[in-house]
Amino acid sequence: MINRRKFIRHSVLSTGAILLAQNLNARIPSTNSFPLVISTWAPNVKANKVAWEVLANGGRALDAIEKGVMVTEADPDDTSVGYGGLPDRDGNVTLDACIMDELGGCGSVMCIENIMHPVSVARLVMEKTPHVVLVGRGAFEFALKNGFKKENLLTASSEKFWKEWLKTSMYNPMDTMKHMKQKRAPGSIDNHDTIGMLAMDVNGNLSGACSTSGMAFKMKGRVGDSPIIGAGLFVDNEVGAATATGVGEEVIRMCGSHTVVEAMRYGKSPKEACQLAVERMYKLRKNNLNDMQIGFIAVNKSGEIGAFSLREGFNYCYRSGEGLDVVNDAEFLLKK
Ligand code: GLY
């Protein structure tokens, strides 16, 4: 929370173009406000900016979200996505990503190593293969065959955190993350995880993508919701799109993003649809959640956006026809 506030203050000072909306409803574009781009977590303002350049030039939503997500994947300071992501418990940085376009196309890579941009590999799976998912070694070899470079994604800083974790090897990834975050340098921007990004282009077409290194110090081979179509991401160009963040196991159990899109199909607003999904998950799992977080963002075909999370602390950022970056705190279910 402290980090989020620092980020926002820094952003306002440096760009002068961030709107802060404490009241969720106050800043939501009503209708016909596309093009637009919305991402999980405030630090992804920088990813929205790059996506927006594509959208503002009349580009396709699919190109916008790929380019946007690549920004976060390449950021060594983001310890939950791409380069610099915290490794699994054996020290391997394994990445998950998926992408969906306006034509019902989708592609995904799971547990891919040594490739900086899993979102782009996921796009190639969608566009160049008859399949939807490639995993592990197969995904890596497919990437190499398509011109991607083999790269070491474990930064010195992430390696240091991993080595510190090895001293106890306490296998509770969420608690470990919290402990690590408390030890970060003041002002560091790490109150977030997965990037999920949704965009609507000038033609009103929707696309989305999701990318993560998953839980810190996870079991080798563990895959969360982010690369799973319908869980971490779902796009239906007739209805809307949704993406998730937080503890992937909980999102997978109730096909989270698909649930959000289906709720919009049957008349819920994006925020109501995100809330419905969180409430359904809570009803099913309230005795097993401990202090886990999940959150959703969504956009409908009219260009309305919404978000909702289980607990306080989830935020998101968007840019719409107004051309301003907006960072919002999501409404949440469990009030203290
Ligand atoms: N939401 C990211 C993960 O659980 O891997």
Side-chain angles (χ1 to χ4, degrees), residues 21-226:
Q22 292 309 317
N23 177 351
L24 181 69
N25 296 315
R27 300 288 186 192
I28 293 179
S30 52
T31 53
N32 302 322
S33 55
F34 50 88
L36 68 83
V37 58
I38 176 169
S39 295
T40 53
W41 304 108
N44 289 320
V45 162
K46 62 187 186 301
N48 284 357
K49 191 167 183 291
V50 169
W52 180 257
E53 279 162 22
V54 176
L55 297 169
N57 284 313
R60 190 177 168 200
L62 184 71
D63 295 323
I65 49 107
E66 182 191 4
K67 291 217 158 45
V69 168
M70 285 171 75
V71 171
T72 308
E73 288 179 338
D75 181 354
D77 296 327
D78 190 315
T79 55
S80 46
V81 178
Y83 179 48
L86 290 168
D88 68 15
R89 61 191 191 180
D90 299 326
N92 312 298
V93 180
T94 68
L95 304 179
D96 304 325
C98 75
I99 196 163
M100 291 188 80
D101 69 10
E102 74 278 21
L103 304 168
C106 48
S108 163
V109 289
M110 301 182 187
C111 228
I112 189 170
E113 292 179 51
N114 300 112
I115 298 291
M116 177 86 74
H117 292 299
V119 69
S120 301
V121 186
R123 180 170 177 172
L124 284 184
V125 172
M126 174 175 79
E127 292 181 338
K128 288 200 164 185
T129 80
H131 307 301
V132 170
V133 184
L134 291 180
V135 301
R137 188 81 201 166
F140 172 70
E141 286 173 7
F142 172 75
L144 291 187
K145 277 194 191 115
N146 282 281
F148 288 80
K149 272 195 316 201
K150 180 178 178 183
E151 295 180 81
N152 174 26
L153 303 180
L154 186 65
T155 57
S157 159
S158 289
E159 187 172 13
K160 192 166 154 244
F161 280 117
W162 171 59
K163 286 192 169 149
E164 191 179 329
W165 174 81
L166 280 178
K167 288 178 192 160
T168 58
S169 299
M170 177 184 69
Y171 195 60
N172 185 340
M174 294 312 285
D175 279 358
T176 308
M177 278 300 283
K178 268 191 235 145
H179 173 67
M180 293 297 181
K181 283 173 183 178
Q182 280 159 11
K183 298 182 85 158
R184 289 287 165 119
S188 65
I189 300 162
D190 56 7
N191 179 28
H192 60 99
D193 68 2
T194 312
I195 178 169
M197 178 183 278
L198 311 171
M200 184 184 270
D201 61 29
V202 287
N203 296 315
N205 285 323
L206 289 162
S207 291
C210 203
S211 184
T212 191
S213 53
M215 281 184 183
F217 320 125
K218 60 195 174 186
M219 287 177 71
K220 187 170 185 179
R222 180 265 184 190
V223 170
D225 61 314
S226 302

